[in-house]
Amino acid sequence: MQIYLFLIACYLGFVASFRTSSAPLRSSFSRLYANTGQSYQASLPSPLIDAQGNVIESAEAIAGLVEGQRVALYFGASWCKDCTNLEFMLAQYRSALADSNQPIQLIYVPCDQSQEDQLSQMQKLGLEVGVPLGETADALKQQYGVWPDVDIERFGGISREIAIEGTETIVAVKGSEGEEVATERVEIMGKVEDTRDEYGRRSGIPSFVVLDNTGAEFCFLNAERDSISVLADWPLDDPQNIW
């Protein structure tokens, strides 16, 4: 009987010791996850909203949206015919990547006419996260040089006439009077070539800006020019591209 009571006492002591020692471990994991979420939050545009228009404030919620994903800003609009043509295949593309363990998270940068249009478009496309229409979206348009022709009056820019010759895409750049305008060609991350006009604009919509896992631009995908085929240039397996 004494041996039996001794064994029970040893067992209870072990359990109490394990619980005590595991508490700091659980706490460490919680702090680590919180710090990771805060790092993601600081690296992404702010504020972010969901498809119902609610601001996503929790760092943990943001981490849950992007961790393990390839992340890109998607510049589009519900009224844009070229966007609609691309989006017809975009859902299938995202689904196929998810099935092959290469999920992508698109952050919608709206060029819509109203918040109602934006949210409706996000829900239609199954996009979980975006930025609010207005100041935040406008700042991103100017930062990355992407806005539609309808915004040229606000932001400046040169309307682009795009023509296909053989296997090459030719972009004819003309000023308001039809004269040729000098453009600047710069290289980003050694991945893609980027053409900006004197106003800093490099394309209209649709377009994608892929972000590396620090929130910096990784590559630019000009879907206005190349449509859905441009997604083949997304370097999905590059570790810098995985959050």
Side-chain angles (χ1 to χ4, degrees), residues 25-48:
L25 185 62
R26 289 195 301 271
S27 178
S28 297
F29 277 122
S30 297
R31 286 196 300 270
L32 178 62
Y33 189 76
N35 290 338
T36 300
Q38 290 167 2
S39 175
Y40 290 153
Q41 190 173 37
S43 301
L44 293 169
S46 179
L48 295 173

Side-chain angles (χ1 to χ4, degrees), residues 157-159 161 173-181 198-199:
I158 309 301
S159 181
E161 297 177 4
V173 182
K174 298 181 179 180
S176 58
E177 303 300 324
E179 75 280 8
E180 291 187 5
V181 177
E198 59 185 287
Y199 299 94

Side-chain angles (χ1 to χ4, degrees), residues 30-202:
S30 297
R31 286 196 300 270
L32 178 62
Y33 189 76
N35 290 338
T36 300
Q38 290 167 2
S39 175
Y40 290 153
Q41 190 173 37
S43 301
L44 293 169
S46 179
L48 295 173
I49 62 172
D50 62 22
Q52 284 69 48
N54 302 310
V55 175
I56 306 173
E57 298 179 341
S58 164
E60 290 78 7
I62 292 174
L65 288 168
V66 301
E67 192 165 22
Q69 307 259 350
R70 290 95 175 137
V71 178
L73 305 176
Y74 172 51
F75 294 78
S78 55
W79 52 262
C80 169
K81 183 178 179 180
D82 289 340
C83 300
T84 301
N85 293 337
L86 174 142
E87 289 157 1
F88 177 74
M89 297 295 297
L90 185 59
Q92 297 179 42
Y93 176 79
R94 295 180 65 205
S95 177
L97 287 180
D99 291 342
S100 63
N101 199 31
Q102 293 180 309
I104 63 173
Q105 183 67 271
L106 299 179
I107 298 174
Y108 187 59
V109 182
C111 302
D112 296 284
Q113 296 177 336
S114 69
Q115 185 184 41
E116 182 180 352
D117 289 344
Q118 173 192 357
L119 298 180
S120 175
Q121 184 73 349
M122 289 176 64
Q123 293 164 18
K124 173 185 172 184
L125 300 177
L127 300 181
E128 299 176 284
V129 59
V131 301
L133 186 68
E135 290 184 4
T136 305
D138 289 348
L140 291 173
K141 293 175 190 177
Q142 293 179 294
Q143 178 181 351
Y144 293 107
V146 178
W147 57 85
D149 283 359
V150 295
D151 281 337
I152 287 179
E153 186 174 341
R154 292 199 299 144
F155 302 135
I158 309 301
S159 181
R160 288 163 166 77
E161 297 177 4
I162 300 177
I164 307 298
E165 293 187 3
T167 58
E168 296 183 350
T169 301
I170 308 300
V171 180
V173 182
K174 298 181 179 180
S176 58
E177 303 300 324
E179 75 280 8
E180 291 187 5
V181 177
T183 61
E184 178 186 4
R185 303 180 75 84
V186 296
E187 191 173 302
I188 298 178
M189 299 293 291
K191 304 289 184 183
V192 295
E193 195 174 64
D194 172 38
T195 305
R196 291 178 184 261
D197 63 25
E198 59 185 287
Y199 299 94
R201 185 179 187 233
R202 54 183 169 182

Side-chain angles (χ1 to χ4, degrees), residues 203-219:
S203 85
I205 58 174
S207 286
F208 300 87
V209 175
V210 178
L211 304 178
D212 70 16
N213 50 27
T214 68
E217 180 173 337
F218 186 71
C219 69

Side-chain angles (χ1 to χ4, degrees), residues 1-12:
M1 182 66 177
Q2 290 179 342
I3 294 176
Y4 178 70
L5 292 175
F6 174 75
L7 291 174
I8 291 177
C10 289
Y11 172 75
L12 293 175

